[in-house]
Amino acid sequence: MPTLIPGPSRVEAAGSKPKLIDEYVGNVNTREPGLSLAHMRSPGGWVEPGQTPTFDEYTLVLRGLLRVEHRDGVLDVAAGQAVRVAAGEWVRYSTPEAEGAEYVAVCLPAFTLDAARRDPE
């Protein structure tokens, strides 16, 4: 039988400015360790700490531009595009344009702070 997920849980975000994270599926909202699905809204000028996660992350940009820095350069992901970051790759996400960005992130297995393996501050 299908299970309705009536709404998300708001999750605290890392980064230089407040970012909204609403987790629909994952360790917080549904106690699902195998996958997380979150709706993100970040303001212009937001920068997240670098990380080398132990999960694969798929991100679909709905509005704005998401910048993905990696060891070999920079990738700009615009509305209507998606990006995959494999487990073990170093990345840093940001939203450099004034209007910020709105996007959906899927992590396999589910996101945890420990699994993100963020760079020391």
Side-chain angles (χ1 to χ4, degrees), residues 84-101:
R84 174 185 180 258
V85 175
E89 289 187 77
W90 180 87
V91 291
R92 179 174 30 233
Y93 297 103
S94 64
T95 49
E97 294 187 344
E99 72 272 7

Side-chain angles (χ1 to χ4, degrees), residues 25-44:
V25 177
N27 284 302
V28 175
N29 198 49
T30 60
R31 308 290 184 248
E32 169 61 50
L35 173 135
S36 60
L37 170 65
H39 181 202
M40 318 275 210
R41 290 169 306 283
S42 58

Side-chain angles (χ1 to χ4, degrees), residues 33-118:
L35 173 135
S36 60
L37 170 65
H39 181 202
M40 318 275 210
R41 290 169 306 283
S42 58
W46 169 81
V47 179
E48 186 175 58
Q51 59 187 15
T52 309
T54 61
F55 48 79
D56 289 336
E57 185 165 7
Y58 300 82
T59 304
L60 169 63
V61 178
L62 303 173
R63 181 186 58 78
L65 180 111
L66 179 68
R67 177 160 290 156
V68 183
E69 294 177 61
H70 54 92
R71 294 268 184 235
D72 295 320
V74 175
L75 184 63
D76 285 341
V77 186
Q81 296 180 321
V83 61
R84 174 185 180 258
V85 175
E89 289 187 77
W90 180 87
V91 291
R92 179 174 30 233
Y93 297 103
S94 64
T95 49
E97 294 187 344
E99 72 272 7
E102 180 178 2
Y103 49 100
V104 174
V106 175
C107 299
L108 296 165
F111 177 92
T112 66
L113 192 54
D114 286 343
R117 295 179 20 200
R118 292 209 171 110

